């Protein structure tokens, strides 16, 4: 759609920054349109799936969205939102950029509350520390377990080759590391 529009662009084509801004604007408009056509349950399910990022089961995403399992089943099959969702066993929004845009449409308080609920649910369910680290990296929590979780997530990111994410996660872990031993381990990582 953007390429076709740019071919008919009056005057000189936009530079890379203007093109990126146009793509972002079109993407956000498309998401707003999709969400406006969907039910409140479907919007809640898709938003919870964006936060879950494939780490939560279908039942857990429903719980995060505040839906019963039958409501979640109906929500995930609504035609308006079905194209946004990836695997349904561990629901996530199919594209990380779309997930970020979707979360960007929420006001800051709603986004923070949703991330906090995701972290609480993940802790209750006994998620791996690296997953907890990824979840807690999106909010500010000042609890003793946060440094270990961020360290585990940073180490996992480094092992997987995502050095940019590793640096960000490990820097955040250093900010939280109170114990000298954990501080040294994080610096070495």
């Amino acid at each position: 759609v953007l390429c076709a529009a740019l071919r008919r662009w009056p005057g000189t084509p936009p530079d890379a920054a203007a093109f990126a801004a146009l793509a972002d604007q079109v993407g956000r408009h498309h998401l707003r349109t999709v969400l406006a056509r969907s039910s409140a349950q479907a919007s809640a399910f898709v938003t919870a799936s964006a936060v879950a990022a494939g780490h939560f089961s279908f039942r857990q995403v429903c719980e995060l969205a505040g839906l019963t399992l039958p409501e979640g089943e109906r929500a995930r099959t609504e035609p308006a939102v079905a194209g946004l969702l990836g695997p349904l066993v561990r629901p996530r929004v199919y594209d990380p950029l779309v997930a970020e845009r979707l979360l960007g449409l929420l006001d800051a308080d709603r986004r923070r509350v949703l991330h906090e609920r995701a972290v609480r649910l993940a802790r209750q369910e006994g998620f791996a520390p690296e997953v907890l680290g990824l979840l807690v990296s999106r909010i500010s929590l000042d609890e003793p377990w946060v440094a270990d979780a961020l360290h585990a997530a940073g180490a996992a990111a480094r092992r997987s080759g995502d050095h940019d994410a590793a640096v960000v996660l490990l820097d955040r872990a250093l900010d939280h590391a109170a114990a000298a031993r954990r501080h040294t381990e994080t610096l070495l990582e």
Side-chain angles (χ1 to χ4, degrees), residues 12 22 42 64-65 73 75 79 82 90 102 111 121 125 136 141 147 151:
T12 60
L22 179 62
L64 184 58
E73 194 64 48
R90 299 191 82 65
L102 182 63
R111 193 170 46 249
L121 180 60
E125 300 281 338
V136 81
L141 281 183
H151 177 227

Side-chain angles (χ1 to χ4, degrees), residues 46-57:
V46 170
T47 304
S49 297
V51 171
H55 299 295
F56 289 57
S57 68

Side-chain angles (χ1 to χ4, degrees), residues 82-172:
L84 296 177
L85 296 172
L88 298 178
V89 174
R90 299 191 82 65
R92 65 175 180 80
V93 174
Y94 74 93
D95 183 339
L97 178 61
V98 173
E100 286 303 315
R101 283 182 179 148
L102 182 63
L103 293 174
L105 294 176
L106 300 175
D107 65 76
D109 287 337
R110 173 121 165 72
R111 193 170 46 249
R112 181 186 46 76
V113 166
L114 193 57
H115 283 337
E116 286 174 357
R117 284 180 35 210
V119 169
R120 280 196 307 274
L121 180 60
R123 288 210 57 204
Q124 279 178 311
E125 300 281 338
F127 278 34
E130 54 269 11
V131 175
L132 279 173
L134 290 173
L135 292 171
V136 81
S137 70
R138 296 181 153 258
I139 56 174
S140 290
L141 281 183
D142 199 18
E143 296 185 27
W145 59 270
V146 171
D148 290 338
L150 288 167
H151 177 227
R158 186 191 55 75
R159 284 191 304 274
S160 71
D162 189 355
H163 299 293
D164 293 338
V167 168
V168 169
L169 291 164
L170 291 169
D171 277 345
R172 292 237 9 233

